[in-house]
Every structure is written in C-alpha cells, then in structure tokens.
Amino acid sequence: MYVVESKGGAIACMLLALFFLGTWPAIMTLLERRGRLPQHTYLDYTMTNLLAAVIIALTFGEIGSSTPEKPNFIAQLSQDNWPSILFAMAGGVVLSLGNLSTQYAWAFVGLSVTEVITASITVVIGTTLNYFLDDKINRAQILFPGVGCFLIAVCLGSAVHSSNAADNKAKLKGAGYSPTSNGALTNEELRNLEKGTGIIEEAKAGTAEFLLELEKRRAIKVFGKSTIVGLSITFFAGVCFSLFSPAFNLATNDQWHTLKEGVPHLTYRDHRSRLTSMTGMAEAGHFWLGCCAGSGMVSSSWEAKLQGMQLRMLCRHFHL
C-alpha cells in the first residue's frame, strides 16, 4: 500500500483535495443551470466515483509489500473487519444524502452560500464529535473558539442568502415579473438543453433578464419558493456531511474497540478510495473537516467566474 510519509507530500495532497472539493460543486451547478437533470448528473457522478475507487484501490492500494500492520487492499478483504466496514458504509450513506441535498441547495441558495453554510456546520458538529471520539487529545481552549467562528459563519451565511433573495426579488419586481408568468420552456427545448444542443441566450450577469433566462433553462425551478426551503435543505446537507467525518473516524481508528484483537484497522483507501487518502489515517477525520472548511472559498471563486457575480455580492461571500 502506498503511503505518503513526508509532511510536504501530505500538504500537497491536502491542497489538491481542497481544490477538487471546491471545484466539483461548481461543475454540477453549471450542469443544473444548463438544464441537466440532477438525477442524471448524480448517476454519472456515482458511477465515476465507484470506478475511481476501484482503480485507486487496485493500484495505490497494492503498491509495496503487504505486512500485518499495513496490509494491502486485497489482503484486507478477507479479514474480519465488518464493524469498521459497517461504520464506513454508514458514513457513505450520510455522505450520499448530503451530496443529493446539496444539488437542490445550490439551486435554491446559491453555490457559494451553500458551501459556506454546509462546510461550517460540518466543522461545528464534526469537530465536536471527533473531539470526544479522539479522547480529547486536542486543546479545547484553542479548538472550540475556532469552532465558534464557524458557527458565526453559519448565521452570516443565512443572512447573506436572505439578502441575496431580497435583491433578486426587487430586480424581478422592477422588471414586471410575477410568479404566475408563463416563461417556461417547451418539452422540446428542455430535451435540447439536456442534450447540450439548446441555444442559450446571453444576458448581462446580475440583471433581471439574466435571472429570468437562468430560471427558464435550469432543471430546478426556484422562483416563488420560500427562503426557508433553501436554508432547510442546506442545513440538512450540512448535518449529513458532519456525520460522515465521525463515522469515517470510527472506521479507520476503531475508538469503540469493535474489532477483534489482532485485526488491523481499515485504511482510508478501503472504504473511500481517493488520491488524498495517502495523507494517512491518524488524522483522517480532522483532514476531512479542514478541507471542508476551505472548500467554500474555492467554490465562491468558481461561482464568481461562472455566473459573473456582482462585486458587492462577491465581497459578502469572501467576508465569510
């Protein structure tokens, strides 16, 4: 099994993970705004994720000699480590629920605000749970003031969403839009957008015309929906993401001593094979939380690029 043991290599892997965690939401949001149905996008995502997991497990997971302390992927398949596997599967379930929820949260709340809120909730709940799972090895007087800052970010993110919704409502009202207006696309136009052959009219970003064109071609219709709906979906996604980290931590470190004596702990690659798994398993839960905390900044940058966000709105997101 290939493991990066140098600090520089681990930092490089974390930066790579940070970039990818902030980029994939932008790509999926772009697809939804172009009319791609979320269920089709998520089907492609899960199939690719499974394929990548198998390839990495059979390559990086098989590099080097297998030892009792660090067995290779194939060797661990025959070991009696079902408790850890079940924890890993539970983490995969909540992670999938979080990913599904965020597809709708991106439409209702926006990419950057969704990432800020979900990442902050993940840090607040996940860090607290991991602190007790790891037998309080971290200094609480340093750790929890930082957690409190993320709790404030959740409140500020909710306020930004409410402000953005009010701005958009004022723009649409000034343009004479009403929720009963018939601006929907025909079935043929929807099929063309799904195939990527539809003609997309360009409008100046941030204008009422831009918002109306976006609503016409996107897969998830959001006009006339309550602000509470989007925030509720976002908070649910954040809770799901926060539970993934403790389950992941239990699967790799076995704090509850569910494994039989002599059975080695699972490695990260066995239940969620990613290139970033090479950072090791000792700080697995904290690694995930750290990447989530910074991914919101990357996603905000992508949204500014993809949507042409106005400077005033962009400053609100980066202040978070």
Side-chain angles (χ1 to χ4, degrees), residues 2-319:
Y2 182 75
V3 178
V4 172
E5 297 180 354
S6 66
K7 186 177 294 185
I11 293 175
C13 289
M14 291 185 70
L15 292 175
L16 187 65
L18 179 64
F19 173 77
F20 285 130
L21 280 173
T23 300
W24 77 269
I27 297 174
M28 298 183 76
T29 300
L30 180 63
L31 292 173
E32 184 274 324
R33 290 178 178 178
R34 292 185 173 182
R36 178 77 169 166
L37 295 175
Q39 55 266 41
H40 293 175
T41 301
Y42 199 73
L43 179 62
D44 297 337
Y45 164 79
T46 51
M47 291 177 63
T48 306
N49 198 15
L50 175 61
L51 181 62
V54 172
I55 292 175
I56 293 175
L58 296 177
T59 53
F60 288 100
E62 289 297 308
I63 294 177
S65 59
S66 180
T67 64
E69 294 77 18
K70 293 183 179 180
N72 285 343
F73 173 74
I74 298 299
Q76 286 200 342
L77 292 180
S78 60
Q79 293 176 345
D80 187 12
N81 48 21
W82 274 104
S84 293
I85 293 176
L86 292 177
F87 280 125
M89 293 174 65
V93 169
V94 293
L95 181 63
S96 296
L97 288 174
N99 286 334
L100 283 170
S101 301
T102 50
Q103 288 195 87
Y104 291 88
W106 292 329
F108 283 97
V109 180
L111 175 61
S112 55
V113 176
T114 298
E115 291 302 298
V116 168
I117 294 178
T118 55
S120 299
I121 293 175
T122 301
V123 172
V124 171
I125 300 178
T127 300
T128 303
L129 294 178
N130 281 324
Y131 173 75
F132 290 102
L133 284 176
D134 292 336
D135 206 17
K136 305 178 183 181
I137 60 174
N138 295 295
R139 296 177 62 183
Q141 60 270 33
I142 297 178
L143 183 66
F144 286 102
V147 172
C149 292
F150 281 98
L151 184 60
I152 296 173
V154 173
C155 301
L156 293 177
S158 302
V160 168
H161 170 55
S162 299
S163 176
N164 291 346
D167 289 345
N168 292 339
K169 186 176 181 180
K171 292 175 185 177
L172 295 172
K173 185 177 180 180
Y177 169 81
S178 65
T180 58
S181 300
N182 185 14
L185 298 177
T186 64
N187 289 334
E188 182 63 26
E189 289 173 322
L190 289 172
R191 282 193 293 269
N192 289 336
L193 286 175
E194 176 73 8
K195 295 176 182 177
T197 59
I199 299 176
I200 300 176
E201 299 180 10
E202 294 293 337
K204 186 178 180 180
T207 63
E209 291 76 16
F210 175 83
L211 296 174
L212 290 170
E213 287 298 323
L214 177 61
E215 179 70 8
K216 285 175 62 178
R217 66 175 181 259
R218 75 185 315 161
I220 303 174
K221 307 302 179 184
V222 299
F223 280 6
K225 301 296 193 302
S226 171
T227 303
I228 302 300
V229 174
L231 287 178
S232 299
I233 297 174
T234 305
F235 274 80
F236 175 76
V239 172
C240 290
F241 287 143
S242 67
L243 295 178
F244 164 71
S245 177
F248 172 89
N249 198 355
L250 285 168
T252 55
N253 296 317
D254 190 36
Q255 289 93 335
W256 289 353
H257 306 291
T258 56
L259 293 176
K260 295 180 180 179
E261 185 176 355
V263 177
H265 295 173
L266 278 181
T267 58
Y268 186 14
R269 189 175 295 102
D270 291 313
H271 56 83
R272 183 167 172 78
S273 299
R274 295 292 178 88
L275 182 60
T276 55
S277 66
M278 295 181 294
T279 57
M281 69 179 183
E283 296 295 331
H286 300 291
F287 162 73
W288 165 256
L289 293 172
C291 289
C292 286
S295 63
M297 184 75 75
V298 179
S299 296
S300 297
S301 302
W302 277 118
E303 183 167 36
K305 177 68 175 178
L306 297 175
Q307 187 174 335
M309 190 183 299
Q310 293 175 314
L311 181 60
R312 180 168 58 89
M313 191 178 297
L314 178 61
C315 289
R316 295 177 187 170
H317 297 304
F318 276 110
H319 283 162

